[in-house]
Amino acid sequence: MFYKSTDNVTPHKHLNEQSGYVISGKYKLISGEKEYFLSEGDTYSIPANTEHSLQIIKAGEVVDVLSPIRQDYL
């Protein structure tokens, strides 16, 4: 997914585990009660049913993998 600087993701949770790889850009991921600063080459994993949000610090691209697949993404 390509994120513009205005594409912040508000707090939410879902039944899917979510993992990702940062291709480019800079982000602040809040997962549960922890904050992580992510940039090129970083990976992350968010357990199912965990509230999380994403602040775009610098526009870029991220690969997200959700398991099981989110039907609303098909």
Side-chain angles (χ1 to χ4, degrees):
M1 171 166 274
F2 181 79
Y3 287 105
K4 297 177 285 190
S5 59
T6 57
D7 288 338
N8 295 315
V9 179
T10 59
H12 67 285
K13 62 182 175 178
H14 39 74
L15 299 174
N16 320 76
E17 179 178 343
Q18 181 174 347
S19 297
Y21 175 77
V22 178
I23 296 172
S24 62
K26 293 184 186 233
Y27 311 88
K28 179 169 84 170
L29 170 67
I30 299 173
S31 179
E33 296 189 18
K34 295 184 180 180
E35 292 184 0
Y36 304 92
F37 288 90
L38 305 171
S39 59
E40 183 177 327
D42 288 336
T43 61
Y44 57 89
S45 183
I46 304 165
N49 296 311
T50 300
E51 186 171 278
H52 57 285
S53 63
L54 188 68
Q55 177 185 353
I56 315 309
I57 298 169
K58 180 181 175 187
E61 193 169 8
V62 174
V63 174
D64 275 319
V65 178
L66 292 108
S67 180
I69 192 168
R70 282 185 60 169
Q71 295 300 311
D72 56 330
Y73 280 14
L74 294 178

Coordinates of all heavy atoms in Angstrom, one line a residue:
M1 N 0.8 -1.2 0.0 CA 0.0 0.0 0.0 C 0.9 1.2 0.0 O 1.9 1.3 0.7 CB -0.9 0.0 1.2 CG -1.7 1.3 1.4 SD -3.0 1.1 2.6 CE -4.3 0.5 1.5
F2 N 0.6 2.2 -0.8 CA 1.3 3.5 -0.8 C 0.5 4.5 0.1 O -0.7 4.7 -0.1 CB 1.4 4.0 -2.2 CG 2.2 5.3 -2.2 CD1 3.6 5.3 -2.2 CD2 1.5 6.6 -2.3 CE1 4.3 6.5 -2.1 CE2 2.3 7.8 -2.3 CZ 3.6 7.7 -2.2
Y3 N 1.3 5.0 1.0 CA 0.7 6.0 1.9 C 1.1 7.4 1.6 O 2.3 7.7 1.5 CB 1.1 5.7 3.4 CG 0.4 4.5 4.0 CD1 1.1 3.3 4.2 CD2 -0.9 4.6 4.4 CE1 0.5 2.2 4.7 CE2 -1.5 3.5 5.0 CZ -0.8 2.3 5.1 OH -1.4 1.2 5.7
K4 N 0.2 8.3 1.4 CA 0.5 9.8 1.3 C 0.6 10.3 2.8 O 0.2 9.7 3.7 CB -0.6 10.5 0.6 CG -0.8 10.0 -0.9 CD -1.9 10.7 -1.5 CE -3.2 10.1 -1.0 NZ -4.4 10.5 -1.6
S5 N 1.2 11.5 2.9 CA 1.4 12.1 4.2 C 0.1 12.3 5.0 O 0.1 12.4 6.2 CB 2.2 13.3 4.1 OG 1.5 14.3 3.3
T6 N -1.0 12.4 4.2 CA -2.4 12.6 4.9 C -3.2 11.3 5.1 O -4.3 11.4 5.5 CB -3.2 13.5 3.9 OG1 -3.3 12.9 2.7 CG2 -2.5 14.9 3.8
D7 N -2.6 10.2 4.9 CA -3.3 8.9 5.0 C -3.2 8.2 6.4 O -3.1 7.0 6.5 CB -2.8 7.9 4.0 CG -3.2 8.2 2.6 OD1 -4.2 9.0 2.4 OD2 -2.5 7.8 1.6
N8 N -3.2 9.0 7.4 CA -3.2 8.4 8.8 C -4.3 7.4 9.0 O -5.4 7.6 8.5 CB -3.2 9.5 9.8 CG -2.0 10.4 9.8 OD1 -0.9 9.9 9.7 ND2 -2.2 11.7 9.8
V9 N -4.0 6.3 9.7 CA -5.0 5.3 9.9 C -5.4 5.4 11.4 O -4.6 5.3 12.3 CB -4.4 3.9 9.7 CG1 -5.4 2.8 10.0 CG2 -3.8 3.8 8.3
T10 N -6.7 5.6 11.6 CA -7.3 5.8 12.9 C -7.3 4.5 13.7 O -7.3 3.4 13.1 CB -8.7 6.4 12.8 OG1 -9.5 5.5 12.1 CG2 -8.7 7.8 12.2
P11 N -7.4 4.6 15.0 CA -7.4 3.4 15.8 C -8.5 2.4 15.4 O -9.7 2.9 15.2 CB -7.6 3.9 17.3 CG -7.1 5.3 17.2 CD -7.4 5.8 15.9
H12 N -8.2 1.2 15.3 CA -9.2 0.1 14.9 C -8.6 -1.2 15.3 O -7.4 -1.3 15.7 CB -9.5 0.2 13.4 CG -8.3 -0.2 12.5 ND1 -7.2 0.6 12.3 CD2 -8.0 -1.3 11.9 CE1 -6.3 0.0 11.6 NE2 -6.8 -1.2 11.3
K13 N -9.4 -2.2 15.2 CA -9.0 -3.6 15.4 C -9.8 -4.5 14.5 O -10.9 -4.2 14.0 CB -9.0 -4.0 16.8 CG -10.4 -4.0 17.5 CD -10.2 -4.4 18.9 CE -11.6 -4.3 19.6 NZ -11.5 -4.8 21.0
H14 N -9.3 -5.7 14.2 CA -9.9 -6.7 13.4 C -9.6 -8.1 13.8 O -8.6 -8.3 14.6 CB -9.6 -6.4 11.9 CG -8.2 -6.0 11.6 ND1 -7.2 -6.9 11.6 CD2 -7.7 -4.8 11.3 CE1 -6.1 -6.3 11.3 NE2 -6.4 -5.0 11.1
L15 N -10.3 -9.1 13.3 CA -10.1 -10.5 13.6 C -8.8 -11.1 13.0 O -8.4 -12.2 13.3 CB -11.3 -11.3 13.2 CG -12.6 -10.9 13.8 CD1 -13.7 -11.7 13.2 CD2 -12.6 -11.1 15.3
N16 N -8.1 -10.3 12.2 CA -7.0 -10.8 11.4 C -5.7 -10.4 12.1 O -5.5 -9.3 12.6 CB -7.0 -10.2 10.0 CG -8.3 -10.1 9.4 OD1 -9.1 -9.3 9.8 ND2 -8.7 -11.1 8.6
E17 N -4.7 -11.3 12.1 CA -3.3 -11.0 12.5 C -2.8 -10.2 11.3 O -3.1 -10.5 10.1 CB -2.5 -12.2 12.7 CG -1.1 -11.9 13.0 CD -0.2 -13.1 13.3 OE1 -0.8 -14.2 13.5 OE2 1.0 -13.0 13.3
Q18 N -2.0 -9.1 11.6 CA -1.5 -8.3 10.5 C 0.1 -8.2 10.7 O 0.5 -7.8 11.7 CB -2.1 -6.9 10.5 CG -1.6 -6.0 9.5 CD -2.4 -4.7 9.5 OE1 -3.5 -4.5 10.1 NE2 -1.9 -3.7 8.8
S19 N 0.8 -8.5 9.6 CA 2.2 -8.3 9.6 C 2.6 -7.4 8.4 O 1.8 -7.4 7.4 CB 2.9 -9.7 9.5 OG 2.6 -10.4 10.6
G20 N 3.7 -6.8 8.5 CA 4.1 -5.9 7.3 C 5.6 -5.7 7.2 O 6.4 -6.0 8.1
Y21 N 5.9 -5.1 6.1 CA 7.3 -4.8 5.7 C 7.3 -3.4 5.2 O 6.6 -3.1 4.2 CB 7.9 -5.8 4.7 CG 9.3 -5.4 4.2 CD1 10.4 -5.7 5.0 CD2 9.5 -4.8 3.0 CE1 11.7 -5.3 4.6 CE2 10.7 -4.5 2.6 CZ 11.8 -4.7 3.4 OH 13.1 -4.4 2.9
V22 N 8.2 -2.5 5.7 CA 8.3 -1.1 5.2 C 9.2 -1.0 4.1 O 10.4 -1.3 4.2 CB 8.7 -0.2 6.4 CG1 8.8 1.2 5.9 CG2 7.7 -0.3 7.5
I23 N 8.7 -0.7 2.9 CA 9.6 -0.5 1.7 C 10.2 0.9 1.7 O 11.4 1.0 1.5 CB 8.8 -0.7 0.4 CG1 8.3 -2.2 0.4 CG2 9.6 -0.4 -0.8 CD1 7.3 -2.5 -0.8
S24 N 9.4 1.9 2.1 CA 9.9 3.2 2.1 C 9.0 4.1 3.0 O 7.9 3.6 3.4 CB 9.9 3.8 0.7 OG 8.6 3.9 0.1
G25 N 9.4 5.2 3.4 CA 8.7 6.1 4.2 C 9.0 6.0 5.7 O 9.9 5.2 6.1
K26 N 8.3 6.8 6.5 CA 8.5 6.7 8.0 C 7.1 6.8 8.6 O 6.3 7.5 8.2 CB 9.3 7.9 8.5 CG 10.8 7.8 8.0 CD 11.6 8.9 8.6 CE 13.0 8.8 7.9 NZ 14.1 8.8 8.8
Y27 N 6.9 6.0 9.7 CA 5.6 5.8 10.3 C 5.8 5.7 11.8 O 6.8 5.2 12.3 CB 5.0 4.5 9.8 CG 5.0 4.4 8.3 CD1 6.1 3.8 7.6 CD2 4.0 4.9 7.5 CE1 6.2 3.8 6.3 CE2 4.1 4.9 6.1 CZ 5.2 4.3 5.5 OH 5.2 4.2 4.1
K28 N 4.7 6.0 12.5 CA 4.6 5.7 13.9 C 3.4 4.8 14.1 O 2.2 5.1 13.8 CB 4.3 6.9 14.8 CG 4.2 6.6 16.3 CD 4.2 7.8 17.2 CE 2.9 8.4 17.3 NZ 2.8 9.5 18.3
L29 N 3.7 3.5 14.5 CA 2.6 2.5 14.7 C 2.4 2.5 16.2 O 3.3 2.3 17.0 CB 3.2 1.2 14.2 CG 2.3 -0.1 14.6 CD1 1.0 0.0 13.9 CD2 3.1 -1.3 14.3
I30 N 1.1 2.6 16.6 CA 0.7 2.4 17.9 C -0.1 1.1 18.0 O -1.1 0.9 17.3 CB -0.2 3.5 18.5 CG1 0.7 4.8 18.4 CG2 -0.6 3.2 19.9 CD1 -0.1 6.1 18.8
S31 N 0.4 0.1 18.7 CA -0.3 -1.2 18.8 C -0.4 -1.5 20.3 O 0.5 -1.6 21.0 CB 0.6 -2.3 18.1 OG 0.0 -3.6 18.2
G32 N -1.7 -1.7 20.7 CA -2.0 -1.8 22.1 C -1.6 -0.5 22.8 O -2.0 0.5 22.4
E33 N -0.7 -0.6 23.8 CA -0.2 0.6 24.5 C 1.2 0.9 24.1 O 1.8 1.7 24.8 CB -0.4 0.4 26.0 CG -1.9 0.2 26.3 CD -2.1 0.2 27.8 OE1 -1.3 0.7 28.6 OE2 -3.2 -0.2 28.2
K34 N 1.8 0.3 23.1 CA 3.2 0.5 22.7 C 3.2 1.3 21.4 O 2.4 1.2 20.5 CB 3.9 -0.8 22.6 CG 4.0 -1.6 23.8 CD 4.8 -2.8 23.7 CE 4.9 -3.6 25.0 NZ 5.6 -4.8 24.8
E35 N 4.3 2.2 21.3 CA 4.6 2.9 20.1 C 5.8 2.4 19.4 O 6.8 2.1 20.1 CB 4.8 4.4 20.4 CG 3.5 5.1 20.9 CD 3.7 6.6 21.2 OE1 4.9 7.1 20.9 OE2 2.8 7.3 21.6
Y36 N 5.8 2.4 18.1 CA 7.0 1.9 17.4 C 7.2 2.9 16.2 O 6.3 3.3 15.5 CB 6.8 0.5 16.8 CG 6.4 -0.5 17.8 CD1 5.1 -0.8 18.1 CD2 7.4 -1.2 18.5 CE1 4.7 -1.7 19.0 CE2 7.1 -2.2 19.4 CZ 5.7 -2.4 19.7 OH 5.4 -3.4 20.6
F37 N 8.5 3.3 16.0 CA 8.8 4.1 14.9 C 9.4 3.2 13.8 O 10.3 2.5 14.1 CB 9.7 5.3 15.3 CG 9.0 6.3 16.1 CD1 9.0 6.2 17.5 CD2 8.4 7.4 15.5 CE1 8.3 7.1 18.2 CE2 7.7 8.3 16.2 CZ 7.6 8.2 17.6
L38 N 8.8 3.2 12.6 CA 9.2 2.3 11.5 C 9.7 3.1 10.3 O 9.2 4.2 10.0 CB 8.0 1.5 11.1 CG 7.2 0.7 12.2 CD1 5.9 0.2 11.6 CD2 8.1 -0.4 12.7
S39 N 10.7 2.5 9.7 CA 11.3 3.1 8.5 C 11.8 1.9 7.6 O 11.6 0.8 7.9 CB 12.4 4.1 8.8 OG 13.4 3.4 9.5
E40 N 12.3 2.3 6.4 CA 12.7 1.3 5.4 C 13.4 0.1 6.0 O 14.4 0.2 6.8 CB 13.7 2.0 4.4 CG 14.1 1.1 3.3 CD 15.0 1.9 2.3 OE1 14.8 3.1 2.1 OE2 15.8 1.2 1.7
G41 N 12.9 -1.1 5.6 CA 13.5 -2.3 6.1 C 12.9 -2.9 7.4 O 13.2 -4.1 7.7
D42 N 12.1 -2.1 8.1 CA 11.5 -2.6 9.3 C 10.3 -3.5 9.0 O 9.7 -3.4 8.0 CB 11.0 -1.5 10.2 CG 12.2 -0.7 10.8 OD1 13.3 -1.3 11.0 OD2 12.0 0.5 11.2
T43 N 10.0 -4.4 10.0 CA 8.9 -5.3 9.9 C 8.1 -5.1 11.2 O 8.6 -4.6 12.2 CB 9.3 -6.8 9.7 OG1 10.0 -7.2 10.9 CG2 10.1 -7.0 8.5
Y44 N 6.8 -5.6 11.1 CA 6.0 -5.5 12.3 C 4.9 -6.6 12.3 O 4.7 -7.2 11.2 CB 5.3 -4.1 12.5 CG 4.5 -3.8 11.3 CD1 3.1 -4.1 11.2 CD2 5.0 -3.1 10.2 CE1 2.4 -3.8 10.1 CE2 4.3 -2.7 9.1 CZ 2.9 -3.1 9.1 OH 2.2 -2.7 8.0
S45 N 4.4 -6.9 13.4 CA 3.3 -7.9 13.6 C 2.3 -7.4 14.6 O 2.7 -7.1 15.7 CB 3.9 -9.3 13.9 OG 2.9 -10.2 14.0
I46 N 1.1 -7.5 14.3 CA 0.0 -7.0 15.2 C -0.9 -8.2 15.4 O -1.5 -8.7 14.4 CB -0.8 -5.8 14.5 CG1 0.2 -4.7 14.2 CG2 -1.9 -5.4 15.5 CD1 -0.5 -3.7 13.2
P47 N -1.1 -8.7 16.6 CA -1.9 -9.8 16.9 C -3.4 -9.5 16.6 O -3.8 -8.3 16.6 CB -1.8 -10.0 18.4 CG -0.5 -9.4 18.8 CD -0.3 -8.2 17.8
A48 N -4.2 -10.5 16.3 CA -5.6 -10.3 16.0 C -6.3 -9.6 17.2 O -5.8 -9.8 18.4 CB -6.3 -11.7 15.8
N49 N -7.3 -8.8 17.0 CA -8.1 -8.2 18.0 C -7.3 -7.2 18.8 O -7.7 -6.9 20.0 CB -8.8 -9.2 18.9 CG -9.8 -10.0 18.1 OD1 -10.6 -9.5 17.4 ND2 -9.7 -11.3 18.3
T50 N -6.2 -6.7 18.3 CA -5.4 -5.7 19.0 C -5.7 -4.3 18.4 O -5.5 -4.2 17.2 CB -3.9 -6.0 19.0 OG1 -3.7 -7.3 19.6 CG2 -3.1 -4.9 19.7
E51 N -6.1 -3.3 19.2 CA -6.3 -2.0 18.6 C -5.0 -1.4 18.2 O -4.0 -1.5 18.9 CB -7.0 -1.1 19.6 CG -7.4 0.3 19.0 CD -8.2 1.1 20.0 OE1 -9.4 0.9 20.0 OE2 -7.6 2.0 20.6
H52 N -5.0 -0.8 17.0 CA -3.7 -0.2 16.4 C -4.1 0.9 15.5 O -5.2 1.1 15.0 CB -2.9 -1.3 15.7 CG -3.6 -2.0 14.6 ND1 -4.6 -2.9 14.8 CD2 -3.6 -1.8 13.2 CE1 -5.1 -3.4 13.7 NE2 -4.5 -2.7 12.7
S53 N -3.1 1.8 15.3 CA -3.2 3.0 14.4 C -1.9 3.2 13.8 O -0.8 2.7 14.2 CB -3.7 4.2 15.2 OG -2.8 4.6 16.2
L54 N -1.9 4.1 12.7 CA -0.7 4.4 12.0 C -0.6 5.9 11.7 O -1.6 6.4 11.1 CB -0.6 3.5 10.7 CG 0.7 3.6 10.0 CD1 1.8 2.9 10.7 CD2 0.6 2.9 8.6
Q55 N 0.4 6.5 12.1 CA 0.6 7.9 11.7 C 1.7 8.0 10.6 O 2.8 7.4 10.8 CB 1.1 8.7 12.9 CG 1.4 10.2 12.6 CD 1.9 10.9 13.8 OE1 2.0 10.5 14.9 NE2 2.4 12.2 13.5
I56 N 1.4 8.6 9.5 CA 2.4 8.7 8.4 C 3.3 9.9 8.7 O 2.8 11.1 8.7 CB 1.7 8.9 7.1 CG1 0.5 8.0 6.9 CG2 2.7 8.8 6.0 CD1 0.8 6.5 7.1
I57 N 4.6 9.7 8.9 CA 5.5 10.8 9.2 C 6.1 11.2 7.9 O 6.3 12.4 7.6 CB 6.6 10.3 10.1 CG1 6.0 9.9 11.5 CG2 7.7 11.3 10.3 CD1 7.0 9.2 12.4
K58 N 6.4 10.3 7.0 CA 6.9 10.6 5.6 C 6.3 9.6 4.7 O 6.2 8.4 5.0 CB 8.4 10.4 5.6 CG 9.0 10.7 4.2 CD 10.5 10.5 4.3 CE 11.1 10.7 2.9 NZ 12.6 10.4 2.9
A59 N 5.7 10.0 3.6 CA 5.0 9.2 2.6 C 5.9 8.0 2.2 O 7.1 8.2 2.1 CB 4.5 10.0 1.4
G60 N 5.3 6.9 1.9 CA 6.0 5.7 1.4 C 5.1 4.6 1.2 O 3.9 4.7 1.1
E61 N 5.8 3.4 1.1 CA 5.1 2.2 0.7 C 5.3 1.1 1.7 O 6.4 0.9 2.2 CB 5.6 1.7 -0.7 CG 4.7 0.7 -1.3 CD 5.1 0.4 -2.8 OE1 6.1 1.0 -3.2 OE2 4.3 -0.3 -3.4
V62 N 4.3 0.3 2.0 CA 4.3 -0.8 3.0 C 3.6 -2.0 2.4 O 2.6 -1.8 1.7 CB 3.6 -0.3 4.3 CG1 3.4 -1.5 5.3 CG2 4.3 0.8 5.0
V63 N 4.1 -3.2 2.6 CA 3.5 -4.4 2.3 C 2.8 -5.0 3.5 O 3.5 -5.2 4.5 CB 4.5 -5.4 1.7 CG1 3.8 -6.8 1.4 CG2 5.1 -4.9 0.4
D64 N 1.5 -5.1 3.5 CA 0.7 -5.7 4.6 C 0.3 -7.1 4.2 O -0.2 -7.4 3.1 CB -0.5 -4.9 4.9 CG -0.2 -3.7 5.8 OD1 0.6 -3.9 6.8 OD2 -0.8 -2.6 5.6
V65 N 0.3 -8.0 5.2 CA -0.2 -9.4 5.0 C -1.1 -9.6 6.2 O -0.8 -9.4 7.3 CB 1.0 -10.4 5.1 CG1 0.4 -11.8 5.0 CG2 2.0 -10.1 4.0
L66 N -2.3 -10.0 5.9 CA -3.3 -10.3 6.9 C -3.8 -11.8 6.8 O -4.0 -12.3 5.8 CB -4.6 -9.4 6.7 CG -4.2 -8.0 7.0 CD1 -4.2 -7.2 5.7 CD2 -5.2 -7.4 7.9
S67 N -3.9 -12.4 8.0 CA -4.2 -13.8 8.1 C -5.3 -14.0 9.2 O -5.0 -13.6 10.3 CB -3.0 -14.6 8.4 OG -3.4 -16.0 8.5
P68 N -6.4 -14.6 8.9 CA -6.9 -14.9 7.5 C -7.1 -13.7 6.7 O -7.2 -12.6 7.2 CB -8.2 -15.7 7.8 CG -8.7 -15.2 9.1 CD -7.5 -14.8 9.9
I69 N -7.2 -13.9 5.4 CA -7.4 -12.8 4.5 C -8.7 -12.0 4.9 O -9.6 -12.5 5.3 CB -7.5 -13.3 3.0 CG1 -7.4 -12.1 2.1 CG2 -8.8 -14.1 2.8 CD1 -7.2 -12.5 0.6
R70 N -8.6 -10.6 4.7 CA -9.7 -9.8 5.0 C -10.6 -9.8 3.8 O -10.2 -9.4 2.7 CB -9.3 -8.4 5.3 CG -8.8 -8.2 6.7 CD -8.5 -6.8 7.1 NE -9.7 -6.0 7.0 CZ -9.7 -4.7 7.5 NH1 -8.6 -4.2 8.1 NH2 -10.8 -4.0 7.4
Q71 N -11.9 -10.2 4.0 CA -12.8 -10.3 2.9 C -13.1 -9.0 2.2 O -13.3 -8.8 1.1 CB -14.1 -11.0 3.3 CG -13.9 -12.4 3.7 CD -13.4 -13.3 2.6 OE1 -13.9 -13.3 1.5 NE2 -12.4 -14.1 2.9
D72 N -13.1 -7.9 3.1 CA -13.3 -6.5 2.5 C -12.2 -6.0 1.7 O -12.3 -5.0 1.1 CB -13.7 -5.6 3.6 CG -12.6 -5.5 4.7 OD1 -11.9 -6.5 5.0 OD2 -12.5 -4.4 5.3
Y73 N -11.1 -6.7 1.6 CA -9.9 -6.3 0.8 C -9.9 -7.0 -0.6 O -9.1 -6.8 -1.4 CB -8.6 -6.6 1.5 CG -8.2 -5.6 2.5 CD1 -9.1 -4.7 3.0 CD2 -6.9 -5.6 3.0 CE1 -8.7 -3.8 4.0 CE2 -6.5 -4.7 4.0 CZ -7.4 -3.8 4.4 OH -7.0 -2.9 5.4
L74 N -10.9 -8.0 -0.7 CA -10.9 -8.7 -2.0 C -11.5 -7.9 -3.1 O -12.3 -7.1 -2.9 CB -11.7 -10.0 -1.9 CG -11.0 -11.0 -0.9 CD1 -11.9 -12.3 -0.8 CD2 -9.7 -11.4 -1.4

